[in-house]
């Protein structure tokens, strides 16, 4: 992804900061049709952020990681949400067989963990969120906008 704006940097001092960030992101209208990638090592907090974001958007019930299914669909008050985890993704034929092209061509929020595993098949991310675990609770977060929608999201988050 070629960033089109200077990245924003945030420090989360604990999970409460993650919750507040997710709530701010959920409140932005542009998120409803965004493609957001999440980057970071195992245990950095990618899935935790997704869970808080989905809750903030109104998703009810159990929110499980799509590690084995690759994608978990959600619906929040008419908003289609697709949560991808490409950690185990290795066969490009799976992209077509699973209907991922159709998902990305449809409206709704798409969230992708481990996007580098499917990078050749993915569209440009509107917003790339890089999470680095400093210790058990502190996270250093870098946000990169890759599209005009991503810049709109960054502006909304910094307002």
């Amino acid at each position: 992804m070629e960033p089109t704006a200077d990245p924003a940097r945030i420090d989360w001092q604990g999970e409460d900061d993650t919750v507040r960030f997710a709530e701010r992101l959920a409140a932005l209208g542009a998120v409803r049709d965004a493609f957001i990638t999440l980057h970071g090592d195992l245990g950095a907090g990618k899935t935790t952020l997704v869970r808080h974001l989905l809750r903030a958007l109104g998703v009810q019930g159990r929110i499980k990681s799509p590690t084995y299914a690759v994608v978990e669909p959600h619906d929040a008050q008419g908003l289609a949400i697709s949560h991808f985890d490409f950690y185990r993704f290795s066969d490009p034929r799976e992209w077509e067989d699973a209907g991922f092209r159709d998902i990305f061509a449809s409206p709704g929020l798409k969230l992708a963990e481990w996007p580098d595993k499917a990078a050749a098949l993915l569209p440009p991310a509107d917003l790339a969120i890089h999470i680095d675990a400093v210790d058990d609770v502190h996270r250093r977060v870098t946000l990169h906008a890759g599209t005009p929608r991503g810049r709109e999201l960054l502006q909304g988050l910094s307002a």
Side-chain angles (χ1 to χ4, degrees), residues 38 46-55 83 111 113:
L38 297 110
K46 299 178 298 293
T47 303
T48 298
L49 171 58
V50 169
R51 284 189 177 120
H52 289 305
L53 178 59
L54 295 180
R55 288 280 179 242
H83 176 198
L111 302 161
E113 298 183 46

Side-chain angles (χ1 to χ4, degrees), residues 17-32:
D17 287 346
T18 308
V19 171
R20 281 190 289 277
F21 175 84
E23 290 170 346
R24 288 178 53 216
L25 184 58
L28 301 173
V31 80
R32 298 184 65 81

Side-chain angles (χ1 to χ4, degrees), residues 31-151:
V31 80
R32 298 184 65 81
D33 201 29
F35 173 40
I36 299 173
T37 57
L38 297 110
H39 307 260
D41 292 335
L42 285 170
K46 299 178 298 293
T47 303
T48 298
L49 171 58
V50 169
R51 284 189 177 120
H52 289 305
L53 178 59
L54 295 180
R55 288 280 179 242
L57 288 166
V59 171
Q60 302 294 312
R62 185 168 178 247
I63 298 172
K64 60 183 183 176
S65 174
T67 300
Y68 294 100
V70 183
V71 65
E72 286 290 335
H74 300 279
D75 183 78
Q77 303 159 359
L79 170 63
I81 304 168
S82 298
H83 176 198
F84 294 88
D85 185 330
F86 291 112
Y87 186 75
R88 299 186 189 291
F89 183 81
S90 60
D91 186 351
R93 290 176 298 186
E94 185 178 2
W95 184 266
E96 294 297 331
D97 295 345
F100 295 161
R101 181 184 308 279
D102 293 336
I103 293 171
F104 275 92
S106 301
L109 172 60
K110 290 93 175 164
L111 302 161
E113 298 183 46
W114 301 99
D116 297 344
K117 303 266 186 173
L121 302 167
L122 293 173
D126 295 308
L127 186 65
I129 301 174
H130 296 261
I131 305 171
D132 293 309
V134 176
D135 57 34
D136 288 347
V137 295
H138 178 207
R139 300 293 184 263
R140 190 161 294 125
V141 181
T142 307
L143 309 170
H144 296 274
T147 67
R149 178 178 287 120
R151 286 192 297 279

